């Protein structure tokens, strides 16, 4: 979408991180991955007047004015980054969790906004751009570079605080939950995994806040590690549909954790910067040429699952808005929504995370109805209350004791016979929790405290065998990269 040159965005004054909650980005007509028949010479279905976006088509005209920033056609990724990210990176280092979401129909520019054009993460991971910011980079790669460099500067300041950056990323799709850092084409043909956990990645919706368990938390301590992060993002599941020649066929959620150790009081604060590139909504006939789901094959099924998950997200947001109007609390435990996407956006829905929803819109008149639906969701999302909450530092010793306790508990539980075998859901959850705890011990020990009471060799070995192949290996790799 940067091909149209530098355009303009509409705003009144530069907003703060809290205020900049609703964003609309308009994709230029006829640019990249256009739907059949879309061309640059036709009339756009979208017009912009200040911060009001008008969509004409689908037998109706809709005006939307919820956005605090509108990126008009021609606005490039550099300008979007300058508007959205700088204040949020500051907030991240000040102790707040941050969440960015890209939302819209298939082919509307979500992945371009979050990562960049097709193939750029593969080239970046191979070192084509070094660690310099490429002009086509989306918000995520720009954010990784900026946060890594900021952490290096803070560490060099010698003020008694140490910063460590780590990264994780998962895909949610009909093939299950996958760790982007361990995704491989060698797994065989695609298959259904409606429970989502068979590859060892579990969405823990019982804990508060909910979180991901069993993934690799990759420590970004060198410039080469940045390239490894970009290479992991290149494993994103994409395929061609009739709406987009490089359609993302999964929800991709990547995050950076900032671990701040304060030597003065021996505490650690951990903040999270989450980037969510949501799979696009689509109509079966438009995306796959048929209204019969059987003609769409696996991609048709994936489209239906994506639509369902987005519907559940919309339901959760609208229910939260209704409850806050009545002064009532929203309960994630009561509202499961049969969808792992909802608990992962807990902080945004509850308002504790500084959040920006970027609604990406197609200018094609043929997509006007879908664009209106996306903007309707954006208008509902913008009504969520923001109750920002800084992360509280915790004593390093207490965090280490708790993590070691989880290692002992899960190792003991996994050492006995397990009904249902290795693919029992509770066994998978225990292995995931064990892996998390082992990685956390490794990370916390890098701050130079608590080593004398570390996990003993016997426990670590048992944890590795119980936690699945590679758990101990990951810990060793992480320690090596941090030295």
């Amino acid at each position: 979408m940067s091909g149209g040159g530098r355009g303009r965005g509409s705003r009144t004054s530069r907003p703060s991180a809290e205020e900049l909650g609703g964003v609309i980005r308009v994709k230029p007509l006829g640019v990249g991955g256009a739907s059949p028949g879309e061309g640059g010479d036709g009339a756009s279905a979208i017009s912009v007047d200040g911060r009001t976006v008008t969509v004409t088509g689908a037998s109706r005209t809709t005006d939307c004015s919820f956005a605090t920033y509108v990126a008009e056609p021609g606005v490039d990724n550099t300008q979007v980054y300058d508007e959205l990210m700088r204040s949020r990176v500051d907030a991240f280092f000040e102790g707040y969790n941050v969440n960015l979401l890209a939302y819209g129909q298939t082919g509307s520019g979500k992945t371009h906004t979050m990562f960049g054009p097709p193939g750029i993460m593969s080239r970046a991971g191979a070192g084509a751009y070094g660690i310099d910011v490429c002009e086509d980079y989306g918000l995520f790669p720009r954010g990784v570079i900026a946060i890594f460099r900021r952490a290096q500067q803070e560490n060099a300041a010698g003020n008694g605080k140490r910063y460590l950056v780590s990264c994780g990323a998962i895909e949610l799709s009909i093939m299950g939950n996958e760790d982007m850092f361990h995704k491989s084409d060698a797994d065989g043909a695609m298959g259904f995994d409606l429970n989502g956990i068979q590859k060892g990645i579990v969405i823990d919706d019982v804990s508060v806040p909910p979180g991901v368990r069993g993934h690799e938390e990759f420590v970004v301590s060198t410039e080469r590690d940045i390239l490894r992060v970009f290479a992991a993002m290149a494993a994103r599941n994409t395929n061609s549909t009739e709406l987009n020649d490089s359609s993302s066929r999964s929800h991709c959620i990547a995050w950076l954790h900032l671990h701040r150790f304060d030597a003065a009081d021996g505490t650690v604060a951990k903040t999270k910067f989450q980037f969510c590139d949501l799979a696009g909504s689509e109509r079966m006939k438009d995306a796959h040429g048929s209204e019969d789901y059987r003609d769409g094959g696996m991609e048709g099924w994936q489209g239906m699952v994506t639509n369902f998950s987005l519907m559940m997200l919309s339901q959760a947001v609208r229910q939260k808005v209704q409850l806050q109007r009545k002064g009532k609390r929203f309960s994630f435990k009561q509202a499961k929504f049969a969808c792992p996407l909802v608990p992962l956006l807990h902080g945004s829905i509850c308002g504790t995370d500084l959040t920006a929803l970027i609604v990406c819109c197609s200018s094609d008149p043929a997509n006007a109805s879908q664009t209106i639906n996306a903007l309707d969701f954006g208008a509902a999302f913008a009504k969520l209350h923001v109750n920002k909450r800084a992360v509280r530092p915790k004593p390093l010793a207490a965090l280490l004791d708790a993590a070691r306790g989880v290692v002992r508990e899960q190792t003991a539980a996994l050492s006995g016979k397990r009904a249902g075998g290795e693919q029992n859901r509770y066994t998978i959850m225990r292995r995931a929790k064990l892996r998390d705890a082992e990685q956390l011990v490794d990370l916390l020990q890098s701050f130079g405290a608590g080593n004398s009471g570390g996990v003993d060799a016997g426990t670590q070995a048992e944890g590795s065998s119980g936690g699945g192949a590679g758990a101990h290996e990951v810990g060793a790799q992480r320690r090596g990269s941090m030295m």
Side-chain angles (χ1 to χ4, degrees), residues 67-102:
T68 53
Y69 173 61
V70 178
E72 300 182 44
V75 169
D76 62 18
N77 281 342
T78 298
Q79 292 169 280
V80 175
Y81 179 89
D82 289 343
E83 291 290 341
L84 294 184
M85 289 288 289
R86 296 191 185 280
S87 62
R88 282 180 161 72
V89 171
D90 289 341
F92 185 47
F93 276 83
E94 290 165 3
Y96 294 95
N97 293 326
V98 183
N99 201 358
L100 295 182
L101 298 88

Side-chain angles (χ1 to χ4, degrees), residues 432-443:
K433 288 183 175 180
L434 175 58
R435 186 181 191 195
D436 282 5
E438 289 179 334
Q439 291 184 107
L440 183 57
V441 168
D442 285 341
L443 189 147

